[in-house]
Amino acid sequence: MGKGSKDKRDLYYRKAKEQGYRARSAFKLLQLNDQFHFLDDPNLKRVVDLCAAPGSWSQVLSRKLFDENIDTDSEEKKIVAVDLQPMSPIPHVTTLQADITHPKTLARILDLFGNEKADFVCSDGAPDVTGLHDLDEYVQQQLIMSALQLTTCILKKGGVFVAKIFRGRDIDMLYSQLGYLFDKIVCAKPRSSRGTSLEAFIVCLGYNPPSSWIPKLDVNTSVDEFFQGCSFNRLVISDKLSHWNEEERSIAEFMACGSLESFDSDATYHDLPSSIANTISSLDPVQGPTNPPYKKALELKRSGKLTRSV
């Protein structure tokens, strides 16, 4: 999609550039916070951003926790961003290029926190969508479960977990599973998230795991084995067919975030306010790609080594 047309079509895309954010997704976290105020807690000191690249959510966290006008307790506040892809530096953010499923990543985060637990964990990660909704929803839920495993090992009791989800036919199963670990589950749809997308965000408030359960991250342990003790799996294996009873579905509260005065991410604005219309121009990216997949192809082309075969 052309840069000029996208600047005019999606105002969140343009506003992200104007305000110095690396991606429009920054407004999703901002609008979630406007509703739930989890980043406005004065006791918020240790934060983890999973699947963080390119870093727009980490930018929001940095600006919220490290207000230039407030210097108190700034040394105690720490933000750790984790992703398999490299990330350009962000003020006040420690970036880790690591796998969120590996125990070494957990150890590195706890070491940075001085073996203290995190107050807030978020994940805006998503797989490369295929267009096959059932497959995309399944892969996304597996990503959430991977993020959740790490979260249960580093999040303090009463903490908050926020993650991107794809709402589908079986999403109530995820709501039910999260309900064993948190006091309140809310499904939220920010106004900056396109209405045509299955994307939403699960906001998990009040981390409260079973007292008898001790999470332990292990690469050789399956998801089912990891969550044993949380009543995630109530299926009893038997060679006899048990009597079937329909279980009550767990439906999370749904909430739209962002005021009605916010821009509609699906709308095309032709008659813009004069303050915006007078400033329409092409903007350069806030942060260029750190390691684009086409980099090697460009180098070969410049050197004359990339030719089209007949």
Side-chain angles (χ1 to χ4, degrees):
M1 182 176 293
K3 182 168 64 173
S5 63
K6 194 166 187 176
D7 279 350
K8 298 175 183 178
R9 179 183 64 82
D10 188 344
L11 290 187
Y12 284 108
Y13 174 85
R14 181 175 181 82
K15 282 170 67 65
K17 287 186 173 183
E18 291 175 344
Q19 297 183 23
Y21 290 117
R22 298 180 181 179
R24 65 188 298 282
S25 56
F27 294 101
K28 300 173 185 178
L29 183 58
L30 287 169
Q31 290 176 347
L32 287 169
N33 183 62
D34 288 342
Q35 183 66 47
F36 298 98
H37 307 289
F38 39 67
L39 300 182
D40 300 329
D41 185 353
N43 296 319
L44 187 67
K45 295 181 179 179
R46 291 174 293 275
V47 176
V48 181
D49 184 11
L50 303 177
C51 307
S56 60
W57 277 30
S58 293
Q59 286 181 297
V60 172
L61 295 170
S62 177
R63 296 183 187 185
K64 284 289 186 180
L65 268 67
F66 294 90
D67 191 324
E68 295 180 356
N69 299 321
I70 302 177
D71 296 327
T72 58
D73 299 331
S74 60
E75 295 183 357
E76 298 181 10
K77 296 180 179 178
K78 297 182 183 296
I79 303 173
V80 178
V82 185
D83 201 290
L84 283 172
Q85 300 178 11
M87 281 177 54
S88 297
I90 298 173
H92 310 296
V93 177
T94 301
T95 58
L96 298 179
Q97 187 175 356
D99 184 353
I100 65 172
T101 65
H102 203 284
K104 289 184 178 180
T105 304
L106 168 63
R108 292 173 68 184
I109 296 174
L110 291 176
D111 183 60
L112 290 169
F113 285 164
N115 289 324
E116 296 287 339
K117 294 293 185 73
D119 302 302
F120 176 81
V121 180
C122 62
S123 173
D124 189 34
D128 293 331
V129 294
T130 63
L132 303 173
H133 293 325
D134 289 343
L135 177 60
D136 292 337
E137 292 163 17
Y138 172 77
V139 176
Q140 176 64 12
Q141 289 202 23
Q142 296 307 303
L143 180 60
I144 293 173
M145 296 307 291
S146 295
L148 182 62
Q149 289 182 71
L150 179 60
T151 298
T152 57
C153 296
I154 60 176
L155 188 62
K156 74 174 186 180
K157 188 172 182 179
V160 178
F161 175 60
V162 177
K164 178 187 290 187
I165 62 171
F166 290 161
R167 289 182 297 157
R169 179 180 55 189
D170 299 321
I171 193 62
D172 58 309
M173 180 181 295
L174 179 62
Y175 297 154
S176 177
Q177 292 172 330
L178 291 169
Y180 289 106
L181 296 171
F182 294 88
D183 293 334
K184 186 176 182 180
I185 309 296
V186 180
C187 178
K189 180 76 170 178
R191 193 166 172 81
S192 53
S193 176
R194 295 185 177 92
T196 52
S197 171
L198 293 174
E199 172 193 80
F201 294 87
I202 193 74
V203 180
C204 307
L205 305 171
Y207 180 54
N208 188 20
S211 58
S212 60
W213 178 63
I214 301 176
K216 184 179 180 181
L217 200 61
D218 188 339
V219 291
N220 298 317
T221 301
S222 67
V223 174
D224 290 343
E225 292 171 336
F226 179 88
F227 286 108
Q228 282 183 356
C230 287
S231 301
F232 268 28
N233 303 305
R234 289 172 290 178
L235 179 63
V236 178
I237 301 176
S238 173
D239 56 354
K240 296 182 179 180
L241 184 63
S242 60
H243 180 69
W244 180 81
N245 291 312
E246 183 176 2
E247 295 184 0
E248 182 180 356
R249 299 183 64 185
S250 178
I251 305 299
E253 177 184 357
F254 183 84
M255 185 177 295
C257 300
S259 68
L260 295 178
E261 297 178 356
S262 302
F263 293 111
D264 186 347
S265 57
D266 287 306
T268 300
Y269 292 89
H270 297 290
D271 299 325
L272 297 175
S274 58
S275 59
I276 298 178
N278 295 334
T279 60
I280 290 294
S281 61
S282 178
L283 295 175
D284 294 328
V286 174
Q287 177 65 50
T290 54
N291 189 22
Y294 50 80
K295 182 178 180 180
K296 185 175 181 180
L298 289 175
E299 293 174 351
L300 292 173
K301 184 177 180 180
R302 293 191 185 103
S303 61
K305 297 180 180 180
L306 184 64
T307 58
R308 182 180 298 177
S309 58
V310 179

